[in-house]
Amino acid sequence: MRAPLPTPLVTVEVADTLRRGVPAVLVAFPGDPVRLGPGAEDLDVDVAEVSGKAGATSRQGRTWVVGVGDGAPGDWRKAGASLVRALHADAEKSGGTTFDVRLPEDVTAGAVAAFTLGAAVGGYRFKVTGEEPPKRVKSMRLVAGDPAFAEVVRKANTLAAATSFSRDLANMPSNVKDPSWLAAAAVKAGRAVPGLQVEVRDEKWLAEQRFGGVLAVGGGSARPPRFIELTWPGTDAGQPHLVLVGKGITFDTGGISIKPADGMHLMRTDMSGGAAVIAALVGIAKQSLPVRVTGLVPAAENHVSGTAYRPGDVITQYGGITTEVTNTDAEGRIVLADALAYAVRNLKPDVLVDVATLTGAMKVSLGLRTGGLFATDDDLAARVAEAGVEVGERWWRMPLLEDLAEDVRSDIADVRQCPPGPGGITAALFLREFTGNVPWAHLDIAGPARADKVYDEVVAGATGFAARTLIELAETYARTQASANTIG
């Protein structure tokens, strides 16, 4: 059985000269007639056979042409992804495995970054098989005149690697991926990046520290829970401390409140929030960002057994708050509550962000391509949304409605797990109870964490959504710190 981690991606780099004998790729812009980028004059290209629509590809001899639409970053990202998918398909029929892409002289850094990201992850393929993998495109050089694009491409490749690694973790079948496996994968990834520390705590430690939520959710499985803590210490003392918390439910049956059979097989991706946090920490450390970041992933399986927790139970979360359980299929908020309380008490964060495939309500509200954003701090909310725009992930801010806050109170415990009302909002209000006075954002990715078809740079399966946003968010704090140091 082969499922190599990490999945190999197309290597993208910048060059200032063409390679002799290497197939060329030209870009095309829509119009009447279609406008071709540089290099068309040296090659025999029939413009009548070309479309400038973003992502449209055509092959003429050994030359490929890809449309970049109106030239917006999303168009360039889609172009890179569509091109690589077409080249992969051609490679399987004995086509080439390396290409030179000729970029216009006036191409922007944003366009280069978007095209690189699309090209790197657009051809992502995860398959557990005993067969040899098919021939694939291995590398691509972007021929551009500005050497400064090398740094742009380097960062885009880092974001692509984080997206891909997050997809890998979420796509792994749950007969392989249990909490222990996820922890081991985080440790292995951390060892490959200088300065990134990874610590794994077992069920004995969780019991000693009274992580009642994680232990309750994981109690129905023969494979015990884990608590994963990744630490990037930053580069200097006194830097902002950003704590990221990701839901790590490696499989979710729903517990006693069992899910319908249809769709349950997709619950291998119910740890996509945790995967995004692990991948983001790796990406942040690779860039040596001057900001302190800690990633917490409470990992458990939610199963049905004689030791499973029940509706009506009252559990004591880390830190002492008691929770009335009303639905064992709302397990994500219970494990997140422990981790959030742990962060507030022990890590003293300046900023706290959690990310989770939390509620079906957000899928109904925002569909499958936009993440829900809740925040107690306007500056933090703006940073998350702007980070998403920068890396091609869409977020929509949702309200924390105070008229619903009282519904979180329980008659027999401090709080109740599933208050009535709009499910995405009440889940966020429940989580807020564990965040102290720390500026906090909750990212509900139940919709965009999985895809059932190809679009833009996304392929079917786990999408890796949120990993890029988290890296870019950390970088905004790094830039703020650098600006403050300069002023000081």
Side-chain angles (χ1 to χ4, degrees):
M1 183 176 76
R2 293 187 179 91
L5 298 183
T7 293
L9 300 179
V10 174
T11 301
V12 183
E13 57 186 5
V14 175
D16 55 7
T17 59
L18 295 168
R19 293 173 289 179
R20 181 174 298 177
V22 172
V25 177
L26 308 182
V27 299
F29 298 87
D32 189 15
V34 171
R35 179 168 60 91
L36 296 177
E41 64 278 4
D42 301 326
L43 300 166
D44 185 17
V45 177
D46 184 356
V47 177
E49 300 295 323
V50 173
S51 168
K53 181 180 178 182
T57 60
S58 62
R59 178 181 178 179
Q60 300 194 21
R62 298 183 73 231
T63 302
W64 285 81
V65 182
V66 61
V68 295
D70 295 330
D75 291 336
W76 281 95
R77 191 169 57 252
K78 184 174 184 177
S82 297
L83 173 65
V84 165
R85 286 194 282 265
L87 297 180
H88 278 330
D90 190 62
E92 292 183 20
K93 299 181 290 186
S94 299
T97 59
T98 185
F99 295 83
D100 284 350
V101 181
R102 301 192 64 168
L103 298 178
E105 293 182 0
D106 60 350
V107 68
T108 65
V112 171
F115 186 86
T116 300
L117 178 63
V121 300
Y124 173 91
R125 178 181 184 267
F126 183 95
K127 187 172 184 179
V128 180
T129 177
E131 300 176 356
E132 289 296 323
K135 187 179 177 183
R136 310 275 278 172
V137 176
K138 295 181 179 180
S139 64
M140 185 176 291
R141 297 204 318 172
L142 309 183
V143 182
D146 190 344
F149 287 154
E151 177 60 22
V152 172
V153 169
R154 183 200 63 77
K155 178 184 173 182
N157 278 323
T158 298
L159 294 174
T163 299
S164 178
F165 185 43
S166 182
R167 290 177 181 179
D168 285 344
L169 295 176
N171 279 326
M172 183 61 67
S174 293
N175 60 318
V176 175
K177 176 182 60 189
D178 63 3
S180 179
W181 182 94
L182 184 61
V187 169
K188 182 179 179 180
R191 286 174 179 165
V193 187
L196 180 59
Q197 304 159 22
V198 184
E199 188 168 1
V200 177
R201 279 70 174 254
D202 63 13
E203 68 275 22
K204 293 181 181 178
W205 182 90
L206 289 165
E208 291 169 358
Q209 298 297 317
R210 299 183 179 180
F211 276 69
V214 177
L215 290 169
V217 172
S221 174
R223 305 196 286 185
R226 293 289 183 266
F227 189 72
I228 308 164
E229 183 167 346
L230 304 97
T231 303
W232 169 246
T235 54
D236 297 294
Q239 294 171 337
H241 186 193
L242 173 61
V243 175
L244 309 176
V245 180
K247 172 185 171 183
I249 301 299
T250 56
F251 193 77
D252 181 20
T253 66
I256 289 176
S257 307
I258 197 164
K259 293 178 179 293
D262 290 345
M264 193 191 290
H265 65 286
L266 298 174
M267 290 301 102
R268 65 180 179 272
T269 68
D270 206 26
M271 36 61 66
S272 292
V277 167
I278 294 169
L281 262 292
V282 173
I284 289 164
K286 281 183 176 179
Q287 295 191 90
S288 295
L289 293 182
V291 58
R292 183 183 172 198
V293 186
T294 302
L296 304 176
V297 181
E301 287 188 331
N302 188 22
H303 271 291
V304 184
S305 76
T307 57
Y309 76 131
R310 296 158 291 260
D313 285 359
V314 173
I315 60 175
T316 302
Q317 309 273 176
Y318 180 89
I321 292 178
T322 58
T323 294
E324 175 192 0
V325 176
T326 54
N327 184 339
T328 64
D329 192 24
E331 82 297 328
R333 67 196 71 182
I334 294 180
V335 300
L336 289 174
D338 274 357
L340 291 168
Y342 172 85
V344 171
R345 172 176 287 192
N346 298 286
L347 302 179
K348 304 298 186 286
D350 297 298
V351 181
L352 186 58
V353 179
D354 75 76
V355 55
T357 50
L358 205 65
T359 66
M362 292 311 301
K363 296 170 69 174
V364 174
S365 299
L366 299 177
L368 304 181
R369 301 190 185 185
T370 303
L373 162 61
F374 299 81
T376 57
D377 181 87
D378 290 341
D379 175 68
L380 175 56
R383 285 177 184 263
V384 172
E386 290 165 7
V389 170
E390 185 68 21
V391 299
E393 294 181 334
R394 292 186 300 193
W395 300 95
W396 188 263
R397 190 174 183 184
M398 301 292 290
L400 289 165
L401 299 175
E402 291 302 326
D403 60 321
L404 298 175
E406 186 58 31
D407 292 337
V408 177
R409 315 321 307 172
S410 168
D411 292 334
I412 64 171
D414 295 321
V415 293
R416 56 175 164 173
Q417 171 206 31
C418 293
I425 295 173
T426 55
L429 289 169
F430 172 85
L431 290 175
R432 189 178 66 172
E433 296 290 319
F434 301 87
T435 61
N437 295 316
V438 178
W440 162 72
H442 162 56
L443 309 182
D444 191 332
I445 60 170
R450 293 182 286 270
D452 58 6
K453 61 182 178 180
V454 172
Y455 64 91
D456 299 339
E457 80 281 8
V458 174
V459 298
T463 65
F465 194 89
R468 302 198 301 262
T469 294
L470 295 178
I471 295 172
E472 185 65 23
L473 177 65
E475 189 159 337
T476 69
Y477 283 97
R479 288 195 293 265
T480 301
Q481 181 71 10
S483 177
N485 291 341
T486 299
I487 294 172

